[in-house]
Amino acid sequence: MTEPARRYDFRRELEVVHRADRRDPLAQPSPGEIVIDPNWSVVIPAPGQPGLRRIAEDLADYFAVSMGLDIAITPGSGDDQRVVQLMIIPELPDLQCRPARSYTIDVAPDRVTITGRDSRAVAQGAYFLEDLLNLRRGPYLRPMKQTRSPVFAPRMTHSGWGLDEFPDQYLDQIAHAGMDSIVVFASGPDRSPDETTHRRPGRSPGRHRPFAAMADRAADHGLDLYLYAYVQNDSVHPADPGAREQYAATYGSLIAACPRAKGIILVGESIEFASRDPRTTGRAHTTPAADGLPSDKPNPGWWPCADYPEWVSLVADVCREHNPDLEIVFWTYNWGWAPEAERLELLESLPSDITVQATFEMFEPIEHDGVTNMCVDYTAAVAGPGRYFASEARTVHGRGMSLFAMANTGGLTWDFGVIPFQPIPQQWANRHRALLAAAEDWGLSGLMENHHYGWWPSVISDLAKWSFWTPVTDPQALIEQLAERDFGAGASAALGAWHAWSEAARQYIPTNADQYGPFRIGPAYPLTLFSTPRPVVDSDAMFGDRIVKIPYEPDQVNTVDVTPNSLRVHGELASLSRMLRLWNSGRDELAVARSLAPPYRQPAAHRLEVLAAFIAHSIRTTINVKRWWLARAKLLICTERPAAHALVDELMAIGRAEYDNASQAIGCTDADSRLGWEPSMGYLGDSAHIRWKLAHLDHVLTAELPDYRRRLDTSTVPAGGAISDLNPG
């Protein structure tokens, strides 16, 4: 019997830069192809140029591990035959007018030349050579000459290894994927927030992070560093006496401690400044109202406040004292729901020397079965752009300002909370096409590829890399090539699986109740009748279970376009049922693909099967949670004894079905330690937490429901009478 995977075993894979399952031992060169063999060498100029030695060593390691070739590194002029020559030519005319990291690759008989203006550019050329050989599944190349440039800069990623943790090998993986920047949370100089940071009052300063050293290490791998601010001056308004000194001591000191930071990202809910906009409460969302009553006004972090320009200008001033070129990224994530006029009025008044970032698909209405929902958070169900993004993009572009998008193109959204990526290439290709159109129409220049759920290398990030460099590869042709690379003779069935899953993704309905409920932690999410359990949380988690809502309650979105929640649940069930059927159809196709895949690709194919099974269990859990909520709600107001008994029977059946579903999911989490984990929550959906959910569900099925049925049977209501006939006196 196979031992279950241990916690964090998945990190070993994130530390393997070059995979050993790339070369097909049966592949042979085609006529006209160049064959790279052990007689070749990697040549760098003597005595070398900055950074080229590292790139050459990486390329030699690739040839050894992925192609089974022992290729030497030699200094020299490159006059030798059969060489991969790496060259930095700062004044190369072909690259002078192109974006940073552009390179030229020239493949000729007996020579491959990679040229760039600096080491970052040459590195990307070397990684592209690896990509070509991976697609070919062998050390075979056709003659070509191509100059390639990135469409987007930056392409930022959080860590999928551990929150704000970036080992060197993982940095290498990020650079190989074509991304150029990492993002870390910053609550102060050399501090990133932890779970206690978010609990007021007396919150801790967070965990120690030497950001300057991290920026230096990232630079060694060709990457920049962005700081996502969790610096909360929520009691100091920019117009207050001494405000500049206060902001210099917080935001300014952050950049003083890490002057190499490329930029700082500012988000309403994470900074919550003390706005005086009368349309808001003027206080942080964690600060209770003086009268203890709810307000119909939003908190400043969730509204396009009129004094944000004053606040942004002050933050920019104190930060740029330490780095004049620092990018100030102002992200409008929290108020895309607000009226367009108010949002655009703010954009028109912002200082023009900052960058505006908007989320690509959020706040877009979705209709299924006559029921209208809204994209309340990150989702792959809608390719985008949403109307909120489009309106802001037009305004920012019209002002000549820089525009970024939160795009989730690393391969994961909040559709599923504890998986590494969503294997839906065709749907991601739709997102890529829309982003490229936004770059053409509105000057979209930079991407945030994920949030704190981080990035995992996958076929999705491969697709993004090819899509976001010019010349752009046709996505459908590339998806077919990736299927052939990964499944060999099973490519056609793999394409069928990916297509079915992409169709299934469009049936997903992103709601707060689901994305912060059963889809957040999958089959570990409990069914609650009367008691409400809380999961055990890892001690070092940033959010822990505070972003998991238990018990389940359909959310009421206060937007005129959205159907009331009591009506939406039935439509959501119909849509999710279609999603599950499509997903299982794709799993059937994948089983065929794996059976036909060559032996050296079997482990990767099996791992995808495990991921697909876990996603199916998560969908089924969400369906069961919704069915349970409907039956429970009816039971709690039912006044007829026979009907109440029938509802207890229904709940018992749903509970038993979910018990079986969650029990089967343990096989997935035992097989893959990445399933059930998320960087900011830690392990909340793993085997241990599924067993925790099963223990609670067993209590509901063997104690709570039978006790309720007993009390129905032993009440003094006349046989066949109504429970409401009981005399309350």
Side-chain angles (χ1 to χ4, degrees):
M1 182 176 178
T2 304
E3 287 291 320
R6 295 178 299 176
R7 281 187 164 197
Y8 300 107
D9 273 355
F10 68 85
R11 287 177 171 171
R12 298 177 185 175
E13 184 166 344
L14 291 179
E15 294 168 0
V16 175
V17 180
H18 299 123
R19 294 171 50 162
D21 61 351
R22 292 305 193 188
R23 183 170 184 175
D24 182 351
L26 301 179
Q28 296 295 321
S30 300
E33 285 189 318
I34 299 158
V35 180
I36 298 176
D37 60 30
N39 295 315
W40 283 60
S41 62
V42 179
V43 174
I44 56 177
Q49 294 176 322
L52 289 191
R53 167 60 65 171
R54 177 191 284 271
I55 300 166
E57 290 173 350
D58 178 272
L59 195 54
D61 184 71
Y62 168 80
F63 280 119
V65 174
S66 299
M67 293 291 121
L69 299 173
D70 185 9
I71 302 293
I73 300 172
T74 60
S77 61
D79 293 334
D80 301 332
Q81 297 297 306
R82 298 185 181 180
V83 299
V84 177
Q85 184 176 7
L86 308 179
M87 301 175 63
I88 295 175
I89 304 179
E91 306 301 325
L92 191 68
D94 289 350
L95 300 176
Q96 282 301 299
C97 297
R98 289 181 174 266
R101 299 197 304 153
S102 298
Y103 60 84
T104 295
I105 180 169
D106 188 352
V107 180
D110 298 329
R111 178 178 298 273
V112 176
T113 305
I114 298 171
T115 311
R117 295 201 305 260
D118 56 26
S119 61
R120 292 191 178 193
V122 175
Q124 289 301 318
Y127 305 154
F128 178 67
L129 174 60
E130 296 176 11
D131 295 339
L132 290 173
L133 300 180
N134 287 341
L135 280 183
R136 182 59 182 84
R137 289 173 283 162
Y140 314 123
L141 289 167
R142 291 197 174 276
M144 61 173 288
K145 183 175 182 180
Q146 194 173 93
T147 298
R148 297 178 61 80
S149 299
V151 177
F152 299 111
R155 291 181 57 197
M156 298 181 270
T157 179
H158 283 269
S159 175
W161 191 94
L163 195 70
D164 296 337
E165 296 182 272
F166 291 90
D168 285 341
Q169 299 96 323
Y170 187 55
L171 291 173
D172 267 344
Q173 290 246 36
I174 291 168
H176 277 70
M179 291 181 277
D180 62 6
S181 302
I182 61 173
V183 186
V184 295
F185 294 108
S187 57
D190 293 337
R191 293 284 173 180
S192 63
D194 62 13
E195 200 271 343
T196 56
T197 305
H198 295 270
R199 296 189 184 274
R200 306 176 192 215
R203 61 187 184 272
S204 79
R207 290 167 290 182
H208 179 70
R209 302 285 187 208
F211 292 139
M214 190 180 293
D216 290 342
R217 283 199 306 112
D220 288 341
H221 297 270
L223 302 168
D224 292 319
L225 173 70
Y226 282 79
L227 301 173
Y228 180 112
Y230 259 100
V231 183
Q232 296 181 328
N233 278 21
D234 49 28
S235 62
V236 182
H237 190 274
D240 287 342
R244 186 176 187 87
E245 290 75 17
Q246 287 277 352
Y247 279 68
T250 50
Y251 291 95
S253 66
L254 181 60
I255 306 304
C258 186
R260 288 192 64 176
K262 180 73 170 178
I264 185 169
I265 302 168
L266 308 171
V267 184
E269 71 176 88
S270 301
I271 49 91
E272 290 202 86
F273 88 108
S275 173
R276 294 175 180 169
D277 191 320
R279 297 168 295 182
T280 75
T281 63
R283 54 183 167 80
H285 79 286
T286 52
T287 302
D291 58 9
L293 296 175
S295 173
D296 59 356
K297 294 181 178 180
N299 299 110
W302 282 262
W303 181 259
C305 302
D307 43 3
Y308 264 121
E310 186 179 0
W311 179 85
V312 172
S313 296
L314 179 54
V315 171
D317 286 348
V318 299
C319 289
R320 285 174 173 162
E321 287 181 0
H322 307 286
N323 179 352
D325 297 322
L326 187 75
E327 287 183 345
I328 308 296
V329 183
F330 185 67
W331 185 3
T332 63
Y333 165 82
N334 289 104
W335 48 81
W337 59 272
E340 182 173 303
E342 281 82 350
R343 291 188 290 101
L344 301 189
E345 181 181 2
L346 169 60
L347 295 181
E348 292 285 3
S349 61
L350 287 170
S352 60
D353 61 347
I354 70 166
T355 296
V356 173
Q357 178 169 298
T359 307
F360 200 63
E361 76 284 3
M362 275 180 68
F363 305 109
E364 188 67 6
I366 317 173
E367 184 172 332
H368 292 279
D369 304 304
V371 173
T372 302
N373 290 74
M374 178 174 285
C375 298
V376 293
D377 222 321
Y378 315 125
T379 181
V382 172
R387 289 177 289 184
Y388 140 68
F389 178 88
S391 66
E392 303 213 342
R394 282 191 293 267
T395 302
V396 172
H397 184 54
R399 292 196 60 200
M401 298 171 66
S402 178
L403 174 68
F404 293 174
M406 168 52 167
N408 291 296
T409 38
L412 185 61
T413 67
W414 269 139
D415 291 342
F416 298 90
V418 288
I419 65 173
F421 68 98
Q422 291 168 256
I424 48 174
Q426 289 88 345
Q427 181 67 350
W428 284 118
N430 292 335
R431 171 75 54 89
H432 298 165
R433 279 188 285 263
L435 288 164
L436 292 171
E440 183 71 23
D441 296 340
W442 302 315
L444 176 64
S445 60
L447 303 178
M448 179 178 277
E449 305 258 9
N450 49 69
H451 206 1
H452 45 75
Y453 35 83
W455 170 77
W456 182 273
S458 70
V459 66
I460 306 306
S461 53
D462 292 341
L463 180 62
K465 180 178 179 181
W466 285 86
S467 297
F468 297 157
W469 284 72
T470 59
V472 176
T473 305
D474 174 67
Q476 184 55 43
L478 179 60
I479 290 171
E480 293 173 2
Q481 288 179 287
L482 292 171
E484 292 172 2
R485 181 196 71 181
D486 291 351
F487 291 93
S492 178
L495 286 169
W498 290 346
H499 176 76
W501 293 341
S502 294
E503 287 292 322
R506 290 186 277 274
Q507 297 300 320
Y508 181 97
I509 298 177
T511 69
N512 279 324
D514 295 351
Q515 289 190 330
Y516 286 78
F519 277 128
R520 179 59 55 97
I521 59 174
Y525 192 82
L527 300 182
T528 62
L529 186 64
F530 301 120
S531 58
T532 301
R534 297 305 305 180
V536 176
V537 177
D538 292 345
S539 60
D540 61 346
M542 177 182 178
F543 290 125
D545 66 342
R546 292 187 308 106
I547 53 174
V548 183
K549 306 303 182 185
I550 302 172
Y552 183 80
E553 185 67 34
D555 53 310
Q556 180 64 54
V557 179
N558 297 319
T559 306
V560 293
D561 296 334
V562 175
T563 306
N565 59 3
S566 57
L567 302 177
R568 290 202 319 269
V569 172
H570 296 280
E572 291 164 3
L573 275 169
S575 191
L576 286 177
S577 296
R578 288 194 298 271
M579 182 183 187
L580 183 59
R581 287 194 296 272
L582 285 164
W583 198 268
N584 284 332
S585 172
R587 290 178 63 195
D588 292 341
E589 292 272 15
L590 183 66
V592 175
R594 183 188 57 76
S595 70
L596 297 174
Y600 71 98
R601 290 297 306 171
Q602 286 289 327
H606 173 67
R607 184 163 190 171
L608 183 58
E609 277 192 311
V610 172
L611 169 61
F614 184 83
I615 291 174
H617 289 304
S618 298
I619 300 169
R620 191 174 295 281
T621 289
T622 304
I623 291 172
N624 286 334
V625 166
K626 289 178 182 292
R627 292 177 59 215
W628 179 274
W629 181 85
L630 286 169
R632 178 184 181 273
K634 293 175 184 176
L635 177 63
L636 295 183
I637 63 170
C638 182
T639 61
E640 300 295 330
R641 178 184 285 164
H645 274 290
L647 287 166
V648 171
D649 290 341
E650 183 179 352
L651 286 167
M652 293 289 287
I654 297 168
R656 292 186 184 114
E658 177 55 21
Y659 195 99
D660 291 342
N661 175 59
S663 298
Q664 294 167 23
I666 292 175
C668 302
T669 48
D670 277 354
D672 185 349
S673 67
R674 176 57 181 81
L675 299 175
W677 178 85
E678 190 271 340
S680 76
M681 298 189 301
Y683 278 105
L684 282 183
D686 60 336
S687 298
H689 283 88
I690 295 176
R691 292 189 177 95
W692 161 83
K693 173 255 192 67
L694 292 173
H696 178 261
L697 183 53
D698 181 71
H699 172 73
V700 173
L701 295 176
T702 61
E704 291 187 351
L705 278 171
D707 181 64
Y708 194 87
R709 188 193 298 278
R710 178 186 59 78
R711 287 186 286 117
L712 286 173
D713 291 336
T714 58
S715 68
T716 58
V717 181
I723 298 172
S724 58
D725 292 337
L726 283 170
N727 183 349

